[in-house]
Amino acid sequence: MSAVVHTHRLQVRYGETDQMGVVYHANYLTWFEVGRTEFLRHSGLTYRELEEKGVLLPVAEATLRYKLPARYDDWVEIRTRIEELTPVRLTFAYEVYRIPDETLLVSGKTMHAFTTPTMKPIRLSRAEPDVYAWLLAQYEGGA
């Protein structure tokens, strides 16, 4: 389990909800993407920098577990961490909480393959050893 957990807060917008004011289920995947983007940025590496190095992180698998709905105008906190890191893939884990009451609404994971811009799989530990070492530090709790 990663010791580095990044938190990002957002307020539920009207356009993210259905007629009942409940967040549409697919929007949680968008929030997961916000969580991992901000995790990387906050830790000192952006998606743009990864892409400039020729490394892409396409989503290979996503899972979500819905517990309670978020609603229009709620404040939520997305908590993101690296759950697993291997030379060929990276798995992020997410939890979405309503704040300030700390109610867990949704949890989930996304698994990403390391690829080139042409979607050829790579071993990140060989292709970009510095990036792999940086991710490993995030996974193990250092920065």
Side-chain angles (χ1 to χ4, degrees):
M1 177 184 289
S2 172
V4 175
V5 177
H6 177 71
T7 61
H8 182 79
R9 291 184 177 190
L10 58 86
Q11 191 169 21
V12 177
R13 296 170 295 216
Y14 185 77
E16 295 171 318
T17 65
D18 60 19
Q19 189 175 12
M20 298 174 291
V22 171
V23 171
Y24 179 68
H25 67 277
N27 284 314
Y28 293 102
L29 287 170
T30 300
W31 293 356
F32 287 4
E33 191 259 333
V34 169
R36 71 179 168 269
T37 297
E38 294 305 320
F39 177 98
L40 292 172
R41 184 187 327 274
H42 179 74
S43 298
L45 184 67
T46 67
Y47 263 116
R48 181 177 304 241
E49 290 168 327
L50 279 174
E51 291 171 355
E52 287 170 354
K53 294 177 180 293
V55 177
L56 299 183
L57 293 173
V59 176
E61 183 177 312
T63 60
L64 293 90
R65 172 164 265 150
Y66 303 98
K67 300 186 184 301
L68 292 168
R71 298 182 183 278
Y72 171 65
D73 233 13
D74 282 351
W75 278 95
V76 297
E77 184 172 88
I78 306 155
R79 298 178 188 172
T80 307
R81 64 182 171 78
I82 296 174
E83 181 173 90
E84 181 183 19
L85 174 65
T86 75
V88 296
R89 73 177 160 269
L90 171 64
T91 301
F92 287 97
Y94 313 87
E95 294 177 325
V96 178
Y97 288 86
R98 183 176 16 255
I99 52 174
D101 65 0
E102 293 288 317
T103 302
L104 178 62
L105 305 176
V106 173
S107 61
K109 299 176 186 179
T110 56
M111 192 265 287
H112 305 259
F114 296 118
T115 73
T116 67
T118 60
M119 296 298 169
K120 179 183 176 191
I122 59 172
R123 294 184 70 78
L124 189 66
S125 56
R126 284 192 210 148
E128 287 292 334
D130 292 343
V131 173
Y132 185 76
W134 177 85
L135 284 169
L136 190 59
Q138 305 311 303
Y139 177 62
E140 293 175 343

